[in-house]
Amino acid sequence: MTKKAQKSTQSLQIPKSILFIAKILERISPKLTTLFAARLFTTPIKYKIPKREWQMEEQSRKTKLYIPTIQKKIQVYHYGESEKKVLLVHGWSGRGTQLVKIADELVKMGYQTVSFDAPAHGKSEGKTTIMTEFIASILELEKQFGPFEFAVGHSLGGMSILNAIKQNLQVKKAVIIGSGDVIQDILEDFVKKLKLSVTYATLLKAHFEKKFGEPMEHYSAHFAAQEVKIPVLVIHDQNDADVSVKAAHHIHKHLEKSELMITEHLGHRKILGSEAVIHNITSFLNS
């Protein structure tokens, strides 16, 4: 693989100090280690807005929206002036302006995009969050600013869109990019990155199921996909180091109407700015 390809497929690295604490706790107490890992799993990293997103951030009409079911306020971005609206949903540790290249093209096509900083992300309230809060935000956004013609989501945003459709979000088509799938796989990948024993994935799952009172696998993307009847475009990179491409194939298999696009050497984030990917998205939405 070339240096350019290697650079594009790099995943986020956990700081050595966090790995050190996790290793110490693992030697002391499984319970403390599980609680520490659970806190990390639900705490996104807030990054500065890169220059490429400044224009969307500056030109958007910004509002704060209260989500009653989770009792948090989120930052909402309205980009463009059309009455025809497309919902954009970022992924973990992302921002409402992260899908800027896609948003720019949709505005050119005559749509307004509505996006948001998920709870504990960007300029929204909270320090911790989880997928159910992404879903709650999507459903409240539909109530307040919908209807939406389409929905486009990246990573956890893709999973959240499928689950929101399962919970009656009304859109004509959806696009998911680099979406995760099986919750157990996501937990196992997370504990591996923490350099903990894989058994902690099971302990984490039990912890969250006790806390929220429902099976986590009910939120797996392929599980939600079985109840999604609208056309869905599934996009994923063969070299995605954050989410295995097997997730895309598995989700695609469980959707009733879907198209699959597999790219190469774009990784988990660079894929959002690919001209070929954006062209495929617009063609799919226009067809």
Side-chain angles (χ1 to χ4, degrees):
M1 186 183 291
T2 65
K3 288 183 179 179
K4 183 178 180 181
Q6 287 176 332
K7 186 176 181 181
S8 71
T9 58
Q10 286 178 341
S11 62
L12 293 176
Q13 298 298 310
I14 295 176
K16 290 182 180 179
S17 58
I18 297 295
L19 297 177
F20 178 75
I21 294 170
K23 188 55 64 178
I24 294 297
L25 288 174
E26 187 176 24
R27 294 174 182 172
I28 297 172
S29 165
K31 183 177 180 180
L32 288 176
T33 306
T34 302
L35 291 174
F36 179 70
R39 181 73 180 188
L40 288 176
F41 188 77
T42 56
T43 305
I45 301 170
K46 291 190 178 185
Y47 295 100
K48 289 178 64 176
I49 298 177
K51 288 183 179 180
R52 64 179 175 274
E53 298 175 26
W54 284 0
Q55 180 175 314
M56 182 177 177
E57 204 278 338
E58 290 171 358
Q59 293 185 3
S60 294
R61 289 176 290 108
K62 291 174 277 293
T63 55
K64 290 284 187 181
L65 178 65
Y66 179 69
I67 313 299
T69 53
I70 61 174
Q71 299 183 330
K72 291 180 181 179
K73 286 183 180 180
I74 60 171
Q75 177 79 44
V76 184
Y77 303 88
H78 309 262
Y79 191 48
E81 301 299 331
S82 175
E83 290 299 312
K84 297 188 299 179
K85 301 174 185 178
V86 180
L87 177 67
L88 304 181
V89 187
H90 67 76
W92 190 252
S93 294
R95 302 160 299 282
T97 53
Q98 192 170 16
L99 279 67
V100 59
K101 295 295 184 183
I102 297 169
D104 282 341
E105 198 60 37
L106 289 169
V107 170
K108 287 178 187 176
M109 291 168 59
Y111 294 99
Q112 175 192 157
T113 65
V114 177
S115 58
F116 63 103
D117 294 336
H121 289 72
K123 298 176 182 178
S124 292
E125 290 184 353
K127 292 184 178 180
T128 63
T129 190
I130 201 161
M131 190 188 353
T132 52
E133 295 192 347
F134 275 63
I135 299 165
S137 299
I138 290 169
L139 296 175
E140 189 63 27
L141 279 161
E142 182 185 36
K143 286 181 185 178
Q144 300 300 326
F145 304 117
F148 300 117
E149 299 279 320
F150 314 117
V152 181
H154 174 238
S155 196
L156 181 61
M159 296 182 72
S160 300
I161 284 172
L162 292 178
N163 275 280
I165 294 170
K166 177 185 172 185
Q167 294 184 33
N168 211 31
L169 169 69
Q170 298 294 310
V171 289
K172 297 173 183 176
K173 293 181 180 180
V175 179
I176 61 172
I177 309 164
S179 174
D181 179 23
V182 180
I183 300 297
Q184 185 67 26
D185 289 348
I186 293 169
L187 292 172
E188 287 180 6
D189 182 63
F190 176 71
V191 298
K192 285 177 184 175
K193 286 179 179 176
L194 278 177
K195 300 190 184 301
L196 294 172
S197 165
V198 72
T199 57
Y200 279 97
T202 302
L203 292 173
L204 265 179
K205 187 177 180 183
H207 167 81
F208 286 122
E209 289 182 343
K210 182 179 179 181
K211 182 176 181 179
F212 296 105
E214 59 182 327
M216 287 192 75
E217 288 301 347
H218 284 181
Y219 292 93
S220 292
H222 76 277
F223 189 85
Q226 296 174 63
E227 296 188 37
V228 174
K229 307 304 178 185
I230 62 168
V232 179
L233 174 59
V234 180
I235 306 174
H236 212 108
D237 192 75
Q238 185 69 38
N239 311 102
D240 191 325
D242 284 52
V243 182
S244 171
V245 70
K246 73 177 184 180
H249 291 285
H250 198 223
I251 296 168
H252 173 59
K253 179 181 176 182
H254 285 81
L255 286 163
E256 185 174 302
K257 303 173 184 176
S258 66
E259 296 179 21
L260 180 64
M261 178 186 186
I262 303 298
T263 63
E264 289 190 4
H265 307 315
L266 293 176
H268 192 62
R269 294 166 189 81
K270 190 176 178 182
I271 195 170
L272 295 175
S274 163
E275 290 185 9
V277 167
I278 295 170
H279 174 74
N280 234 32
I281 291 171
T282 56
S283 296
F284 171 75
L285 296 180
N286 275 329
S287 63

